[in-house]
């Protein structure tokens, strides 16, 4: 019922930067709490960063704190993950996620993911 689309992944050298973007088909990302997750091969899916609906409070995993920034563009109804000082251990597929808690579209939604590879 709701489609999420991520973009911005790619190949980058250690110490480089990427910015990921997420947009939903209903343009309601800013209404609900939204998270960026990542999953490396043979690893558990991990919460990377979170931004709440409305107030826009943020939370970061310890592994990315100080290097990654999650932000919302209210005019464009898009959510971003700015990733700086990238490390090889950041290599993973990154997914955006939201939980729609009201209305007939309520449910858990995931994007298809975008690959981030950090390598020399």
């Amino acid at each position: 019922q709701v489609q999420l689309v991520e973009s911005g992944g790619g190949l980058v050298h250690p110490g480089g930067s990427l910015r990921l973007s997420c947009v939903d088909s209903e343009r309601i990302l800013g209404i609900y709490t939204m998270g960026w997750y990542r999953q490396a091969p043979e690893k558990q899916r991990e919460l990377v960063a979170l931004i709440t609906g409305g107030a826009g409070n943020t939370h970061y995993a310890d592994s990315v704190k100080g290097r990654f920034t999650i932000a919302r563009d209210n005019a464009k109804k898009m959510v971003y993950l700015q990733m700086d000082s990238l490390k090889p251990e950041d290599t993973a597929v990154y997914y955006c996620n939201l939980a729609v808690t009201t209305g007939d579209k309520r449910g858990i939604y995931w994007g298809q993911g975008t690959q981030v590879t950090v390598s020399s």
Side-chain angles (χ1 to χ4, degrees):
Q1 292 182 297
V2 179
Q3 294 181 345
L4 302 177
V5 180
E6 306 100 333
S7 62
L11 175 65
V12 65
H13 290 170
S17 298
L18 288 171
R19 187 178 72 168
L20 307 183
S21 302
C22 182
V23 64
D24 77 288
S25 61
E26 306 299 320
R27 304 196 74 206
I28 57 173
L29 278 177
I31 300 174
Y32 303 99
T33 296
M34 180 270 182
W36 283 99
Y37 291 73
R38 67 186 181 188
Q39 187 166 19
E42 311 301 323
K43 301 289 185 65
Q44 297 289 105
R45 188 167 295 188
E46 173 190 26
L47 175 66
V48 176
L50 187 71
I51 186 165
T52 64
N57 297 313
T58 59
H59 170 80
Y60 299 93
D62 289 341
S63 59
V64 307
K65 186 175 176 61
R67 299 187 297 119
F68 291 11
T69 304
I70 188 170
R72 180 195 302 123
D73 186 323
N74 290 326
K76 296 181 179 180
K77 301 295 185 182
M78 299 185 72
V79 174
Y80 305 96
L81 183 68
Q82 178 68 42
M83 305 185 295
D84 298 319
S85 301
L86 283 161
K87 303 175 180 179
E89 51 263 45
D90 296 319
T91 296
V93 178
Y94 284 70
Y95 302 87
C96 60
N97 167 274
L98 83 161
V100 180
T101 57
T102 61
D104 59 358
K105 297 186 183 298
R106 61 189 178 275
I108 306 300
Y109 296 94
W110 294 92
Q112 294 183 357
T114 185
Q115 177 71 49
V116 172
T117 302
V118 185
S119 176
S120 299

